[in-house]
């Protein structure tokens, strides 16, 4: 082991992972930076051994010690385990922010060549639909919970602005679907608008996610940093890597308060695994991000410059268009190594500062409110009845009680009181009950009593309290 070497956990991964990770380790070594690779395993082989999470204990312990990981792609084998090993690692170490930078690269020809694209997607990495909380509410109706928290929004928005400052960026867009999902995606927009004034040197703009996708296809050069929720970011970041040459060139960093995991955006590409043809650029650029993270900014710049020089020299990896014969993974890495110390003619090295990352908080995160009350309840009922029949039955059950039936929805449409709307019905109804006294505060006893009465006649499977915080409704309006 080199004296005073910085220990990092290295996970070779599946498919092309071991080939590209070996290339990245050789490039790191050639920079002269003293890194000790603590090689550990996760992914397909671990699932086959019966490790349900795909991540064995010794790998977890290594990461707890080193706090920094260079990771190859991990397969998610179908039929083994509940979660992917990638999701396990992200959640286990709460790497809440995923940074995915892409830029125009010399020799990598795309329809956008010449437009100098240089975009970083900052994706929330642990919340949203990816918490994987799903239910079959009836045999034919599935539900996924989209969990968005104020804490998660604050952390990712702060990371986006802090990264923008550290990387000398000018502008941060926040991309959401707040016009439809006013509480979840809206929380990201509001948090962004609250935090943005703390960074007056950075231009801050909100954009709807669908328009953002359109603008990325039409005028991508307007974007600098884009912060967004998990699923939006997953899709947008693959789109931006497509704009600049594809997955073989897209690096990423999963940033947590304590642990950071660096990996290529691409997966294990089983179709080309073991053939020494994979493009190592994405993982080599991820390794550069890792070096910058551990304070080796000069070596990081050297690697980035060497990658640019290699591409400028006309060298071509298998996933690049062109007529020159493609280089093998090892030859491509060798060329990067031989170009260390040379400066690109197309792009100067950048001046980065350390990114300030918000610390882990021990206390339970709470948004204080001065007043709160329960104004009603949504009860989800599985029923084959037509809306008028179900509505009549429920109205009889609440006659003379504190809660009255307000409306019934089916697939997001109001179907009771009966409307002229034509709706294809399914056997899941959202039945909204509101307090007859508009200022009332419904007790749990009243809710349980209603559930018992409904349960005697119908099959209910889910409830949601309708709450008001500081006089504001904390739920979406019922149906269209
Ligand atoms: P993928 O592994 O990214 O591969 C898609 C295609 O992209 C490959 O077939 C290959 O296309 C090309 N490609 C990707 N990386 C390349 C490289 N470095 N050099 C040259 N070409 C490259 O996506 P996938 O096939 O959907 O996923 C395969 C497995 O990887 C799945 O089990 C998935 O769960 C996993 N995965 C893991 C991660 C991760 O660990 N972070 C991320 C994504 C997917 P050609 O056909 O042109 O050769």
């Amino acid at each position: 082991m080199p004296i005073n070497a910085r220990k990092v956990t290295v996970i070779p991964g599946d498919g092309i992972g071991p080939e590209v990770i070996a290339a990245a380790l050789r490039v790191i070594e050639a920079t002269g930076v003293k890194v000790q690779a603590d090689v550990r395993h996760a992914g397909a082989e671990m699932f086959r051994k019966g490790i349900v999470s795909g991540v064995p204990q010794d790998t977890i312990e290594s990461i707890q010690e080193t706090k920094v990981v260079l990771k190859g792609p991990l397969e998610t084998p179908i039929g083994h385990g509940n979660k992917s090993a990638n999701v396990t690692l992200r959640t286990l170490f709460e790497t809440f922010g995923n940074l995915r930078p892409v830029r125009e690269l010399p020799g990598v020809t795309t329809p956008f060549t010449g437009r100098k694209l240089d975009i970083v997607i900052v994706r929330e990495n642990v919340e949203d639909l990816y918490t994987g909380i799903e239910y079959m509410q009836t045999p034919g109706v599935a539900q996924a919970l989209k969990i968005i928290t104020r804490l998660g929004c604050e952390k990712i928005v702060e990371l986006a602005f802090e990264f923008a400052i550290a990387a000398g960026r000018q502008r941060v867009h926040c991309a959401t679907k707040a016009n439809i999902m006013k509480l979840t995606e809206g929380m990201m927009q509001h948090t962004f608008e609250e935090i943005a004034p703390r960074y007056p040197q950075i231009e801050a703009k909100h954009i709807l996610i669908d328009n953002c996708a359109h603008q990325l296809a039409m005028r991508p050069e307007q974007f600098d940093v884009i912060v967004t929720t998990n699923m939006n970011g997953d899709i947008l970041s693959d789109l931006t890597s497509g704009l600049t040459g594809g997955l073989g060139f897209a690096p990423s960093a999963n940033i947590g308060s304590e642990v950071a995991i660096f990996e290529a955006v691409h997966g294990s590409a089983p179709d080309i695994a073991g053939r020494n043809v994979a493009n190592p650029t994405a993982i080599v650029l991820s390794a550069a991000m890792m070096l910058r993270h551990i304070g080796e900014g000069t070596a990081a710049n050297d690697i980035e410059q060497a990658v640019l020089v290699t591409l400028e020299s006309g060298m071509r990896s298998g996933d690049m268009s062109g007529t020159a014969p493609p280089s093998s993974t090892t030859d491509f890495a060798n060329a990067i190594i031989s170009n260390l110390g040379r400066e690109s003619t197309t792009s100067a090295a950048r001046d980065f500062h350390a990114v300030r990352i918000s610390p882990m908080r021990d206390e339970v995160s709470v948004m204080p409110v001065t007043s709160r009350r329960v104004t009603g309840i949504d009860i989800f009922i599985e029923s084959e009845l037509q809306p008028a029949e179900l509505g009549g039955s429920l109205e009889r059950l609440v006659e003379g009680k504190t809660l009255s039936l307000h409306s019934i929805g089916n697939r997001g449409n109001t179907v009771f009181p009966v409307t002229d709307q034509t709706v294809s019905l399914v056997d899941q109804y959202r039945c909204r009950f509101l307090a007859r006294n508009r200022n009332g505060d419904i007790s749990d006893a009243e809710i349980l009593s209603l559930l018992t009465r409904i349960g005697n006649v119908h099959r209910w499977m889910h409830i949601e309290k309708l709450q008001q915080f500081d006089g504001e409704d904390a739920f979406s309006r019922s149906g269209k």
Side-chain angles (χ1 to χ4, degrees):
M1 180 194 17
I3 299 160
N4 298 328
R6 172 67 160 87
K7 195 169 171 183
V8 304
T9 304
V10 173
I11 301 174
D14 301 317
I16 59 172
E19 301 160 58
V20 292
I21 285 280
L25 289 177
R26 287 200 297 119
V27 173
I28 293 173
E29 192 183 359
T31 64
V33 171
K34 295 186 174 67
V35 165
Q36 183 207 349
D38 186 24
V39 178
R40 302 286 162 163
H41 296 281
E45 189 54 36
M46 300 301 115
F47 285 115
R48 276 193 285 276
K49 284 187 176 165
I51 296 166
V52 177
S53 68
V55 185
Q57 188 57 29
D58 68 294
T59 301
I60 294 170
E61 283 166 14
S62 169
I63 298 171
Q64 281 166 340
E65 181 199 341
T66 65
K67 317 272 191 229
V68 177
V69 185
L70 183 65
K71 183 181 89 58
L74 304 178
E75 260 175 43
T76 307
I78 294 156
H80 295 269
N82 295 322
K83 284 191 167 181
S84 85
N86 290 310
V87 174
T88 301
L89 283 169
R90 278 173 213 161
T91 47
L92 209 54
F93 297 102
E94 207 182 321
T95 53
F96 63 86
N98 186 214
L99 302 181
R100 293 190 174 186
V102 297
R103 63 194 286 196
E104 180 172 337
L105 293 167
V108 184
T109 310
T110 74
F112 297 93
T113 295
R115 290 165 76 169
K116 304 207 175 331
L117 301 192
D118 186 1
I119 304 169
V120 182
I121 304 288
V122 181
R123 164 187 169 194
E124 201 291 322
N125 216 20
V126 290
E127 298 191 342
D128 201 352
L129 289 160
Y130 292 45
T131 53
I133 306 170
E134 295 190 300
Y135 304 93
M136 293 302 294
Q137 291 208 328
T138 79
V141 178
Q143 183 203 40
L145 291 191
K146 180 175 169 79
I147 307 286
I148 302 285
T149 70
R150 172 71 193 196
L151 175 72
C153 292
E154 280 174 10
K155 288 174 83 164
I156 198 68
V157 169
E158 281 169 4
L159 179 65
F161 281 109
E162 292 292 338
F163 172 81
I165 287 177
R169 302 267 173 170
Q170 318 292 320
R171 197 175 310 118
V172 178
H173 277 87
C174 175
T176 76
K177 193 68 182 170
N179 54 334
I180 303 293
M181 288 167 273
K182 296 180 198 309
L183 299 184
T184 50
E185 292 280 312
M187 185 180 280
M188 178 65 99
Q189 178 184 359
H190 297 143
T191 309
F192 176 78
E193 287 166 352
E194 270 178 55
I195 288 177
R198 279 199 248 146
Y199 300 90
Q201 64 275 54
I202 304 286
E203 188 189 344
K205 281 186 176 177
H206 176 259
I207 186 168
L208 291 175
I209 188 71
D210 37 350
N211 185 30
C212 185
H214 175 246
Q215 294 293 329
L216 277 168
M218 300 298 288
R219 287 199 310 117
E221 55 275 26
Q222 70 186 282
F223 293 103
D224 191 351
V225 175
I226 303 174
V227 63
T228 187
T229 47
N230 200 343
M231 183 154 145
N232 291 335
D234 194 5
I235 299 166
L236 275 198
S237 57
D238 267 32
L239 168 59
T240 50
S241 48
L243 297 177
T244 47
L247 293 171
F249 296 94
S252 84
N254 299 286
I255 302 291
S257 299
E258 283 161 13
V259 166
I261 303 173
F262 298 84
E263 61 179 333
V265 170
H266 64 69
S268 58
D271 54 331
I272 53 170
R275 290 166 40 200
N276 195 25
V277 296
N279 181 357
T281 306
I283 193 72
V284 168
L285 292 176
S286 307
M289 292 176 84
M290 180 189 81
L291 291 179
R292 189 167 282 127
H293 179 79
I294 61 173
E296 298 287 355
T298 305
N301 280 350
D302 285 352
I303 291 177
E304 286 167 354
Q305 288 289 299
V307 166
L308 293 172
V309 173
T310 302
L311 292 168
E312 284 160 10
S313 73
M315 198 129 188
R316 185 168 88 80
S317 56
D319 53 344
M320 287 167 71
S321 57
T323 49
S327 307
S328 67
T329 308
T330 38
D331 285 349
F332 208 89
N334 289 342
I336 295 172
I337 289 167
S338 65
N339 287 324
L340 283 168
R342 298 211 172 101
E343 284 185 12
S344 158
T345 52
T346 53
S347 188
R350 281 137 184 227
D351 193 16
F352 275 90
H353 302 283
V355 182
R356 198 190 63 84
I357 299 164
S358 60
M360 195 72 118
R361 304 177 201 175
D362 287 336
E363 74 280 15
V364 175
S365 173
V366 175
M367 276 290 282
V369 289
T370 49
S371 72
R372 58 192 301 156
R373 66 193 182 95
V374 177
T375 61
I377 182 167
D378 275 354
I379 303 181
F380 290 72
I381 292 177
E382 180 180 348
S383 176
E384 293 173 31
L385 295 177
Q386 286 293 321
E389 274 180 279
L390 179 62
S393 163
L394 294 174
E395 279 184 328
R396 284 191 291 282
L397 288 173
V398 292
E399 257 168 20
K401 304 290 181 190
T402 48
L403 285 158
S404 68
L405 179 66
H406 171 266
S407 58
I408 299 179
N410 193 291
R411 297 174 66 227
N413 301 289
T414 301
V415 293
F416 185 87
V418 177
T419 65
D420 291 338
Q421 223 177 332
T422 315
V423 178
S424 299
L425 298 168
V426 296
D427 58 356
Q428 183 229 35
Y429 286 99
R430 181 178 69 157
C431 306
R432 175 156 291 183
F433 298 87
L434 293 182
R436 287 184 202 274
N437 170 3
R438 288 171 64 90
N439 298 317
D441 186 5
I442 300 297
S443 69
D444 284 358
E446 287 166 297
I447 292 170
L448 292 171
S449 158
L450 175 58
L451 280 174
T452 305
R453 276 178 278 133
I454 289 176
N456 288 335
V457 189
H458 302 287
R459 179 183 281 136
W460 63 268
M461 87 301 274
H462 178 77
I463 65 166
E464 282 291 343
K465 283 181 179 174
L466 303 179
Q467 306 190 81
Q468 262 189 7
F469 301 135
D470 288 338
E472 294 279 335
D473 283 346
F475 50 90
S476 58
R477 287 195 177 176
S478 57
K480 298 182 267 276

